[in-house]
Amino acid sequence: MTQVQLVYPKIPNSKNSPWERCIAFEKYDGTNLHWVWQLELGWYAFGTRQDRFELDDMGIAQFNEAYPGLEEATEIFSRDFANPLQRVFQEKLNYQYQEITVFTEFFGTNSFAGMHRKDDPKQLILFDVQTDRFIISPEQFFQDFNHLNIAKVVYRGMLTGQFIDDVRKGKYDVAEGVVCKGGGSNSENVWMVKIKTYAYMKKLQQAFKDDWNTYWE
């Protein structure tokens, strides 16, 4: 295991939202995992937001020991994502980079606040791809990877106060909330904001009492 700088950026809340066109993807209540591919090595590393393991038998065993409850993640990635993602990287000209990192959310039917039940069916949802240090635009992400199990598109259009209010009040069929993404083709101008539902807020308040805001926006 290697400690690394925050692999995936912390997404701000909607307080200072840019009022621009966006794609809103469902936000899932699980554990953020990243997977690293190199042109010469293939899939060689993976981990959480702040640590990284070798994607081999020893590294997987170390990961499983460090993160009980996430043991199924590597099996799901190998089965559902490794080969299809590699085909995209090898066939599309805009993925001709030495290293690419993909981001997934691991969760089960009853996962909550990063905690998972052992007997729940689990899945991985792909929600971002980073090439040469840049996160690709939401539109490119959808076009290139929608044949895989990606985050559900909830809304396309202008980010408005009305949309934020509608998400919070449960108009859209999401359990935790959404992540709105817009901007250009790389991480220098791609922006993101998260919006969570009032129903999720109540669930946090019931579970964590005075500490509920730690898990909020």
Side-chain angles (χ1 to χ4, degrees):
M1 178 182 71
T2 303
Q3 293 294 316
V4 293
Q5 292 185 340
L6 193 64
V7 179
Y8 192 79
K10 181 174 174 57
I11 302 175
N13 61 33
S14 60
K15 182 178 180 181
N16 296 309
S17 298
W19 307 114
E20 301 174 3
R21 291 194 63 82
C22 71
I23 301 178
F25 296 89
E26 181 168 1
K27 187 179 190 307
Y28 300 91
D29 190 358
T31 299
N32 183 320
L33 298 175
H34 72 280
W35 313 82
V36 191
W37 180 86
Q38 272 194 357
L39 184 61
E40 296 181 358
L41 299 176
W43 295 104
Y44 80 96
F46 75 113
T48 66
R49 295 180 71 177
Q50 293 187 303
D51 56 23
R52 181 168 291 178
F53 300 78
E54 296 296 320
L55 190 50
D56 56 20
D57 290 344
M58 182 178 293
I60 291 170
Q62 291 172 340
F63 173 81
N64 291 343
E65 182 178 357
Y67 295 102
L70 305 184
E71 294 91 347
E72 296 170 76
T74 53
E75 298 175 11
I76 297 172
F77 183 81
S78 177
R79 182 191 69 209
D80 296 342
F81 290 96
N83 288 335
L85 284 169
Q86 181 166 290
R87 281 197 294 272
V88 173
F89 301 158
Q90 293 174 334
E91 293 173 3
K92 289 186 177 291
L93 294 177
N94 50 328
Y95 294 99
Q96 301 304 300
Y97 295 91
Q98 286 298 313
E99 185 167 290
I100 298 174
T101 303
V102 304
F103 300 96
T104 62
E105 196 79 4
F106 174 84
F107 62 98
T109 309
N110 296 291
S111 295
F112 174 59
M115 297 176 287
H116 312 286
R117 295 186 183 179
K118 183 177 180 179
D119 296 332
D120 273 356
K122 308 293 196 311
Q123 63 175 308
L124 285 175
I125 292 283
L126 179 70
F127 63 85
D128 262 324
V129 174
Q130 179 176 293
T131 63
D132 195 27
R133 306 185 312 279
F134 296 138
I135 293 177
I136 67 173
S137 71
E139 189 59 56
Q140 182 181 340
F141 172 79
F142 180 80
Q143 290 177 2
D144 293 343
F145 301 102
N146 70 80
H147 61 292
L148 300 176
N149 192 26
I150 69 168
K152 182 179 71 174
V153 173
V154 174
Y155 170 83
R156 291 173 180 266
M158 295 297 293
L159 178 55
T160 64
Q162 182 63 56
F163 174 71
I164 293 173
D165 192 50
D166 288 343
V167 170
R168 294 207 187 283
K169 291 181 178 178
K171 178 179 177 180
Y172 297 90
D173 184 22
V174 294
E176 181 180 353
V178 302
V179 176
C180 299
K181 303 177 184 181
S185 60
N186 60 56
S187 62
E188 292 180 319
N189 46 27
V190 167
W191 55 264
M192 307 181 195
V193 296
K194 58 187 174 186
I195 308 162
K196 297 187 180 182
T197 67
Y198 289 135
Y200 188 73
M201 180 177 70
K202 291 180 180 178
K203 191 175 179 181
L204 292 174
Q205 290 171 335
Q206 292 171 353
F208 299 107
K209 307 303 179 185
D210 294 340
D211 293 330
W212 71 271
N213 203 44
T214 303
Y215 301 88
W216 185 234
E217 297 179 351

